Amino acid sequence: MSASTHNEGAGQSQQQQPNLAKSRFVNLIRQYSLQVSNTMLGLKLKDRCKITQVHAFSPSDTSTKPSQGGGYPTISSVLSNSGETISVTAAEVLRPYGLPATHSLEPPIDPFLKSVDFVESLAELYKRVEKSSDFDKSLVYLEQYSLLCSLGDPKLLRRCLQSARQHAVDVHSKVVLSAWLRYERREDELVGSSALDCIGRNLECPKAALSKGYDPDSVFDHCQCFRTVNESSEVDISVEEEDYSNSEEDGTVCFCIGDEEVHCSRGKIASLSSPLKAMLYGNFVESERDRIDFSLNGISGEGMRAVKFFSLYGSLDMCSPDIVLEMLSFANRFCCERMKSTCDIYLASLVSDLDEALVLIDYALEERADILVASCLQVLLRELPGYLYNSKIMNVFCSSEGKDRLAVVGHASFLLYYFLSEVAMEDNMTSNVTVMLLERLRECATERWQKALALHRLGCVLLERKEFKDAQSCFEVATWAGHVYSMAGVARSKFKQGQRFMAYELITSLISTYKSAGWMYQERSLYNLGNKKILDLNDATKLDPTLSFPYKYRAVAKLEENHIEAAITEINRIAGFKVSPDCLELRAWFLIALEDYESAMRDIRALLTLEPNYRMFHGKLRGEHLVELLNQHVQRWSPADCWMQLYDRWSSVDDIGSLAVIHQMLINDPGKSVLRFRQSLLLLRLNCHKAAMRSLRLARNHSGSKHERLVYEGWILYDTGHREEALSKAEESISIRRSFEAFFLKAYALADSSLDPEAASYVVQLLEEALRCPSDGLRKGQALNNLGSIYVDCGKLDLAADCYVSALKIKHTRAHQGLARVYHLKYDRKAAYDEMTKLIDKAQNRASAYEKRSEYCDRDMANNDLSLASQLDPLRTYPYRYRAAVLMDDQRENEAVEELTKAIAFKPDLQMLNLRAAFHESIGDLSSALRDCQAALCLDHNHRDTLDLYSRTQTQAIDPRA
């Protein structure tokens, strides 16, 4: 059983088309679609969010030149000649910025590992995970993370980091990985949270990270922070138990420190270390003396009394931190490992903020107290990206001396500098700090992939800094380390040094040597001229339709020919399925030239929702300033007008338009948390996960009441995989005040599993309670849609239809899809088809509607709909799988495999890999089947269908008769 989606992901029908009822692989695809419909995959916030790489225009050349076909207007001239009244100030501000030119555009070199045979690389990684010992798995998962960065899927990347943390053996790795996981969640954006706040699981718990030992099965358990206040919450580090009884005195010895005398048990002091035992019982003169002068040993009388107490009882009770620091120094001087460990642990437990960490880390490094260093590092890392440019922090991390000091205590590693450089590159790609951290990363690299990654990333940074010769050297060494993609960096560096032909030849040799990929033709297009450049860009789009640069270049080329409408049409091709600030900026640029200020304002507002601090026109104008300038040319809306506009755009599935309206509403009322929440839903629908989480946290921060804040905290917890905690927040909110959102959250979280009849009935009750509470039509429409889905799964089709009809009455357009599903289950395919046609007519985002309508028509019409779906959104995988299944059923095996292979080349999706593996198994190509299974399991090692297929194929490979 399942509910429909929170954001109305597309549901699937439960029956097959009659003429395909016996088709093996088509049935397989249909069954998978049914599984999607009968789970909450569409409901899961995380599953809908695949971050895309955002590329800004190249800032290297901000001038504009007229095309050969004649000049084109500047923004200033367009605004000033539009017949509108514009202030002199606005004209002066806009005058320096012309429209974009093709010569100023170029794609960045991606700063991550990119394999020329991605599926083979995934398969190899999975085999290494299978063969690795438990103590080696963590680094393999880190390598997997570095490879999967090219997919831009935050869910996959977080899973890799979680697996690396799960198998982390030493305290250092646990500290870095738990901090990295927290950084990815940006929990610091919550008002009132601190760096050491814990989510209640060992996975990210700062105290659990300081615990020695390897226990991969416990990382997802509740940590000590989750326990009751009566239970211990100290750092759980075991120290050997010793017998501290005074059953046998072996004489006393007096330690003289200045004018103070400290009388100690000779035997107990001697038991602290071998050097002390040798001094007090060996051949040294001190062994014959009852009084020993300790004035020059760096410890005070109070400190020596604390040492005495520890020798007797093994405890640091009543000791101040300053005294414990003295004891730590004493323990180091005389090799008192037990006392050093106890002092180390005690001091580590005291580090709670940045100031303490910066003070104590120097002591810790000097005294080689590894747990105290780890505790200080943890605070510094969990404060990132803040304080990255603090001089003290830079001294700890950036210099070679700082790295060497960390290395002495086992806290300088490739892992540490990978994390630090990741943060630095995201914050400021061209800063000196970023360069220094990448230099340290290179020095810590030991394996080939580590060296390739470090040098490639350093090459990318140096290229951005216009240090082209040094960048070329880095890319060349990365290539020698086996990273073929770095050859693109070599070519780009040569091109920047005026060696266009050499760059062209290098990429051409790459294309002839390896299997062609979209990025290869995209790169070569930079070094080509005229029509050949466009041909390369077209080839790049054909091989990888997700690359944004070819669309941008073709659009600007059309603009330079004064074909502005054609330029907008071209950029719309990618903006329809891959929303990024650079494409929105470019379209806004075109729209301003076309004097369509309303639409330009829409795109700029949506852009600022994705990146609030975005600067337009090659970084020279704040986006907010352009909004102010264009405000003079657009109609002003009252708050009531804004709500009406939002309602219309939401109903017509115009997500960009809806974002723009909400952005305008938030300018007038920035503390409106309900608007931030609506914003997060739209961003999730657009696969902009980080921006969505930022909006959700801001909704939480601006909550006007506790019950409202609890709901948003519940959504944050749900999205980060903590379903039980999310349910707890929903229940606590309901106990304070019954509200639509609290009941909806609880129903949503409970439905995130296979529902038995009793559970489904309870979810229905919760949704009905939600509908009784005050809310707007936007949310009630979603609740009715979800309620209809539950009724469908329970076989109550008439009740489901009533819910969908009620949702349509309040203009919840996506309810057409649910109603179509009801008609289909009632064997009225014509009515189902008509219902989906209504959705296509009303919705601006039609790709999913075409995909779903294909289920309600014959094979030829289905293929037409799926072709349209693929054109509108090539990232949707169902059309490829369906077409491949049809080809397979027609016994056109090679064409079926090729259909999947084309899509896997730019979107290595789990289900497509699984299906291609099944095709390979079916035609007896067991080696290819095994490879695809391994690659799929590298993406999700718990995927049951792939595990079964993998096991079966392995058995056949060993014994063909099996």
Side-chain angles (χ1 to χ4, degrees), residues 325-373:
L325 282 171
E326 284 191 47
M327 295 174 68
L328 178 63
S329 180
F330 179 92
N332 255 336
R333 182 183 294 269
F334 291 100
C335 303
C336 306
E337 294 302 325
R338 177 166 34 88
M339 186 165 71
K340 177 182 177 180
S341 178
T342 305
C343 294
D344 195 5
I345 294 166
Y346 172 81
L347 291 169
S349 69
L350 300 180
V351 185
S352 60
D353 60 41
L354 188 70
D355 291 335
E356 291 172 351
L358 288 174
V359 169
L360 286 171
I361 195 167
D362 284 330
Y363 285 102
L365 290 170
E366 185 176 345
E367 301 298 342
R368 302 187 181 183
D370 61 322
I371 300 300
L372 179 55
V373 171

Side-chain angles (χ1 to χ4, degrees), residues 725-783:
E725 290 85 345
L727 281 170
S728 177
K729 293 286 185 181
E731 290 165 356
E732 187 179 353
S733 179
I734 292 170
S735 70
I736 298 172
R737 179 178 173 181
R738 297 163 63 84
S739 70
F740 174 92
E741 292 298 349
F743 280 114
F744 192 95
L745 169 60
K746 187 174 181 180
Y748 190 88
L750 283 173
D752 186 11
S753 61
S754 297
L755 295 177
D756 57 35
E758 184 178 352
S761 177
Y762 185 46
V763 172
V764 167
Q765 292 177 31
L766 290 170
L767 289 172
E768 289 174 342
E769 288 291 338
L771 288 165
R772 294 189 187 101
C773 298
S775 185
D776 58 72
L778 300 177
R779 294 298 279 159
K780 288 206 170 184
Q782 290 174 331

Side-chain angles (χ1 to χ4, degrees), residues 51 69 260 544 633 638 702:
I51 298 299
E260 296 186 68
D544 185 353
H633 301 273
S638 67
H702 288 102

Side-chain angles (χ1 to χ4, degrees), residues 667-835:
I667 289 177
N668 299 324
D669 192 358
K672 195 78 170 179
S673 59
V674 66
L675 292 176
R676 296 285 184 187
F677 181 56
R678 297 292 189 278
Q679 192 179 65
S680 73
L681 302 180
L682 289 164
L683 289 165
L684 287 165
R685 192 182 293 159
L686 292 168
N687 289 333
C688 301
H689 185 266
K690 288 188 177 180
M693 292 308 297
R694 180 179 63 243
S695 295
L696 190 51
R697 290 189 175 100
L698 286 171
R700 183 266 187 194
N701 293 345
H702 288 102
S703 299
S705 61
K706 183 177 180 181
H707 78 271
E708 187 181 22
R709 184 175 70 251
L710 287 166
V711 169
Y712 299 140
E713 288 176 356
W715 282 117
I716 291 170
L717 287 165
Y718 178 85
D719 187 49
T720 50
H722 305 288
R723 178 173 168 271
E724 294 177 9
E725 290 85 345
L727 281 170
S728 177
K729 293 286 185 181
E731 290 165 356
E732 187 179 353
S733 179
I734 292 170
S735 70
I736 298 172
R737 179 178 173 181
R738 297 163 63 84
S739 70
F740 174 92
E741 292 298 349
F743 280 114
F744 192 95
L745 169 60
K746 187 174 181 180
Y748 190 88
L750 283 173
D752 186 11
S753 61
S754 297
L755 295 177
D756 57 35
E758 184 178 352
S761 177
Y762 185 46
V763 172
V764 167
Q765 292 177 31
L766 290 170
L767 289 172
E768 289 174 342
E769 288 291 338
L771 288 165
R772 294 189 187 101
C773 298
S775 185
D776 58 72
L778 300 177
R779 294 298 279 159
K780 288 206 170 184
Q782 290 174 331
L784 285 165
N785 203 57
N786 286 9
L787 184 57
S789 180
I790 295 290
Y791 281 139
V792 168
D793 292 336
C794 295
K796 300 177 181 180
L797 301 183
D798 291 336
L799 290 174
D802 291 342
C803 288
Y804 293 130
V805 170
S806 297
L808 288 171
K809 287 179 179 178
I810 53 177
K811 296 186 177 180
H812 188 74
T813 308
R814 291 177 183 81
H816 283 298
Q817 185 172 303
L819 197 56
R821 184 183 175 198
V822 170
Y823 289 144
H824 191 214
L825 291 172
K826 287 185 173 183
Y827 301 101
D828 190 347
R829 294 177 62 207
K830 175 64 167 59
Y833 181 90
D834 291 343
E835 207 63 40

